[in-house]
Amino acid sequence: EAQEKSTERINYIASEALKAKEKVVLSYNGSTSAGTRHHHKLKLVSSGNRPAAGILRQFKLLLTRAFKETSRGKGAMIIKLVQQITLGLIYGGIYKVGSDQASIMDRFGLLSLVAIGSMNMAVASTIRSFTKEKTIVQGEMVGGMYRTLPYFIAKAVSEIPLVGVYNAVFSAILYPLAGLQKGKFRNFIGLTSLHTLVCEAAGLIVGAVSPSTEVALSLFPAIVVLNIIFDGRNISEENTPKILRWIPKVSLIRWGFEGLSVNEFNGLEFDSKGPRRGPVVKTGTEALDRFGMADRSLREVVRAQTNIMGICWLLSYLGLSLTRQKYETMATPKTH
């Protein structure tokens, strides 16, 4: 009798699982002002947990959900805005650059801090948020709600608007307070935004391959240290161990710093007043030559950062796909 009851329970669970497999809610978009809830429903194919909707349809729904989730996180948005405002006031309050010789190193120091600070916040925040979100997402993927590719593209695209807003606020405060070169403000916003997006893409890799937030955050210090060491100023390429010479080519801080420096120094002229270190530097090009950036162009920097971001997205996608949870399909037991 006990065996019969156990068999009945198993049959019941299996039948309910098969019913649930036929109808799954793709996404939850919150509630309206009238208190009603809206769901995007998607009927799945009964075999293989494959979404019936195409990739474009999945992407559209996932992008809408990502934007709505972001807009609901008002607390996180306020915190990030306060961070940008605070950093802008601190940097702008400390650095006051001019046209004397001392301001050359001040400009390099300020731009280096901007690149390092942006990387720290972007990578750390992405690691914290993505590793927690990944657990939910993997469950939805196992249920056949959507594929990895449309989810990943939607997530990457949804980050762009807020990144631009945060960096615009930061730049609008820092730029006039520090006295950076006039006429280069728009480029400065674009370069800081691109740098942040690249760093967030790097954070996605760590989050995608890490089983938990703790593991991901434990990798974070090593990533920061390597990027600072190989930022193009702390060690020459000739003295870099051969096995590590690929790191400067993908260093987040290096390309962020070089882009900001090229944008700032090209077109500047300096006088011989004030304290100086080494020979007198008369132009921004001569200052860039000290760090081997005289021949660097913004186009090269943007292309390098775009390539790094694309590779990071690809590796993150592969990492998320390969670490996706898998479950055995429950089948109805045969009765004799």
Side-chain angles (χ1 to χ4, degrees), residues 89-103:
L89 292 173
I90 291 174
Y91 291 163
I94 295 174
Y95 287 90
K96 306 290 182 183
V97 297
S99 60
D100 58 4
Q101 295 295 299
S103 69

Side-chain angles (χ1 to χ4, degrees), residues 242-316:
K242 290 184 179 181
I243 195 173
L244 300 177
R245 286 186 180 177
W246 61 273
I247 298 181
K249 298 178 181 180
V250 297
S251 173
L252 306 174
I253 294 176
R254 175 204 171 179
W255 289 110
F257 170 70
E258 287 194 8
L260 294 173
S261 298
V262 170
N263 179 65
E264 174 64 19
F265 279 89
N266 276 335
L268 283 179
E269 294 183 357
F270 301 99
D271 53 46
S272 57
K273 298 178 182 179
R276 64 178 184 269
R277 297 177 182 176
V280 174
V281 174
K282 296 182 179 180
T283 65
T285 303
E286 293 179 7
L288 290 172
D289 194 43
R290 288 186 175 184
F291 294 105
M293 295 186 287
D295 297 327
R296 185 74 69 197
S297 67
L298 286 182
R299 180 173 294 182
E300 289 179 285
V301 173
V302 171
R303 182 168 59 247
Q305 289 185 302
T306 303
N307 290 339
I308 294 173
M309 182 165 57
I311 293 172
C312 288
W313 281 349
L314 176 61
L315 293 178
S316 301

Side-chain angles (χ1 to χ4, degrees), residues 116-318:
I116 294 173
S118 297
M119 180 208 163
N120 284 339
M121 290 192 295
V123 175
S125 62
T126 303
I127 287 175
R128 289 192 189 96
S129 62
F130 185 58
T131 48
K132 295 176 181 177
E133 179 183 344
K134 184 177 69 171
T135 304
I136 301 172
V137 168
Q138 285 181 332
E140 293 176 340
M141 290 179 181
V142 169
M145 294 183 178
Y146 46 80
R147 293 298 191 190
T148 306
L149 182 60
Y151 160 75
F152 196 80
I153 296 176
K155 179 172 180 59
V157 172
S158 67
E159 300 288 340
I160 296 176
L162 278 180
V163 167
V165 171
Y166 295 144
N167 282 282
V169 171
F170 170 75
S171 302
I173 296 171
L174 171 65
Y175 214 85
L177 287 178
L180 296 174
Q181 184 179 177
K182 296 180 179 179
K184 301 291 187 72
F185 179 66
R186 291 183 179 179
N187 286 349
F188 186 85
I189 294 177
L191 289 169
T192 52
S193 298
L194 177 60
H195 177 57
T196 302
L197 289 171
V198 175
C199 294
E200 287 185 349
L204 286 176
I205 295 179
V206 181
V209 300
S210 300
S212 66
T213 303
E214 291 74 19
V215 173
L217 289 176
S218 68
L219 298 174
F220 176 63
I223 295 172
V224 174
V225 169
L226 285 174
N227 275 274
I228 292 177
I229 292 174
F230 298 102
D231 66 349
R233 296 177 299 128
N234 290 318
I235 185 171
S236 64
E237 186 175 350
E238 294 77 14
N239 293 329
T240 303
K242 290 184 179 181
I243 195 173
L244 300 177
R245 286 186 180 177
W246 61 273
I247 298 181
K249 298 178 181 180
V250 297
S251 173
L252 306 174
I253 294 176
R254 175 204 171 179
W255 289 110
F257 170 70
E258 287 194 8
L260 294 173
S261 298
V262 170
N263 179 65
E264 174 64 19
F265 279 89
N266 276 335
L268 283 179
E269 294 183 357
F270 301 99
D271 53 46
S272 57
K273 298 178 182 179
R276 64 178 184 269
R277 297 177 182 176
V280 174
V281 174
K282 296 182 179 180
T283 65
T285 303
E286 293 179 7
L288 290 172
D289 194 43
R290 288 186 175 184
F291 294 105
M293 295 186 287
D295 297 327
R296 185 74 69 197
S297 67
L298 286 182
R299 180 173 294 182
E300 289 179 285
V301 173
V302 171
R303 182 168 59 247
Q305 289 185 302
T306 303
N307 290 339
I308 294 173
M309 182 165 57
I311 293 172
C312 288
W313 281 349
L314 176 61
L315 293 178
S316 301
Y317 165 71
L318 293 175

Side-chain angles (χ1 to χ4, degrees), residues 33-96:
S33 58
T36 58
R37 293 179 177 179
H38 294 272
H39 300 269
H40 288 291
K41 293 184 178 179
L42 181 64
K43 195 169 184 179
L44 303 180
V45 178
S46 59
S47 61
N49 281 350
R50 296 180 180 178
I55 289 181
L56 292 178
R57 175 66 173 166
Q58 294 175 46
F59 168 74
K60 180 180 178 181
L61 294 175
L62 289 166
L63 183 62
T64 301
R65 184 176 74 169
F67 280 132
K68 290 194 175 185
E69 287 177 349
T70 301
S71 64
R72 284 199 296 266
K74 292 181 175 59
M77 292 171 62
I78 293 173
I79 291 173
K80 289 183 179 181
L81 278 174
V82 171
Q83 286 178 336
Q84 298 298 328
I85 293 171
T86 303
L87 281 177
L89 292 173
I90 291 174
Y91 291 163
I94 295 174
Y95 287 90
K96 306 290 182 183

